Amino acid sequence: MIFSKRSRYGIRALVDLAVYGQNDRVQLSEIANRNDISVKYLEQIFTALRKAGVIRSIKGPQGGYQLADRPENIHISGIIEVLDGSYSLEAEEIISGKNGEATSLVIQKSIIEPMNQMLENFLSGLTLDKLIESFGDYTEYHQNMYYI
């Protein structure tokens, strides 16, 4: 399983785009500044997301980026697959020998396959709108913090 900075930054940028782009387009430089991500790196991420149809770009002086679909239709599993490829644990290598095949199958059937299924269920059930909701909860919490 890979959950690279590329996916983390991509998800972070999409949350930002969804929050600040609800009624308008958002400039890439604004997203980069708010999230402390290099504009060049974010361009690479957004190119992949645009090609996959997750976002769309509008050219021109009033241009920028928008989500291509509603946040509740954008699954985190799809974002990670676009940016990193498969997020599943790789299969156990079957080793021959006295107990090698049996122990390999135990690992595959008892650990790897159940973990992959749980991961698939979790990531495919997690959508961008749920992350936006959490973002709102955290920003509201921190705005209401009083320090003495």
Side-chain angles (χ1 to χ4, degrees):
M1 182 187 146
I2 297 174
F3 190 46
S4 69
K5 278 192 175 183
R6 180 175 165 92
S7 282
R8 293 168 197 248
Y9 286 175
I11 293 167
R12 187 185 303 175
L14 287 173
V15 169
D16 186 284
L17 180 61
V19 168
Y20 293 99
Q22 291 177 354
N23 301 316
D24 204 5
R25 299 165 188 100
V26 180
Q27 299 284 321
L28 193 66
S29 59
E30 295 171 9
I31 297 170
N33 286 335
R34 280 192 292 266
N35 292 281
D36 196 26
I37 303 170
S38 157
V39 174
K40 289 277 189 198
Y41 193 48
L42 204 50
E43 284 173 350
Q44 295 171 13
I45 292 169
F46 270 41
T47 296
L49 292 171
R50 185 183 49 75
K51 286 180 181 177
V54 177
I55 60 173
R56 63 175 158 243
S57 63
I58 293 89
K59 299 201 184 288
Q62 300 300 317
Y65 288 90
Q66 292 178 316
L67 294 176
D69 202 350
R70 297 190 334 240
E72 59 268 20
N73 296 331
I74 300 174
H75 297 267
I76 302 308
S77 59
I79 296 167
I80 294 172
E81 285 177 343
V82 165
L83 296 175
D84 281 335
S86 175
Y87 50 80
S88 295
L89 298 175
E90 60 183 54
E92 176 69 6
E93 180 181 340
I94 305 299
I95 299 171
S96 60
K98 187 173 181 179
N99 291 324
E101 186 174 344
T103 55
S104 298
L105 289 172
V106 165
I107 291 170
Q108 179 65 32
K109 298 291 182 187
S110 300
I111 299 172
I112 294 174
E113 288 177 10
M115 285 182 66
N116 282 339
Q117 188 60 54
M118 286 188 283
L119 193 56
E120 172 64 26
N121 291 342
F122 175 74
L123 292 175
S124 64
L126 186 59
T127 55
L128 192 55
D129 68 318
K130 291 178 184 173
L131 297 182
I132 294 164
E133 185 179 314
S134 293
F135 175 82
D137 292 345
Y138 287 121
T139 55
E140 182 179 309
Y141 172 78
H142 289 293
Q143 288 174 353
N144 293 329
M145 290 292 293
Y146 298 100
Y147 299 96
I148 299 175

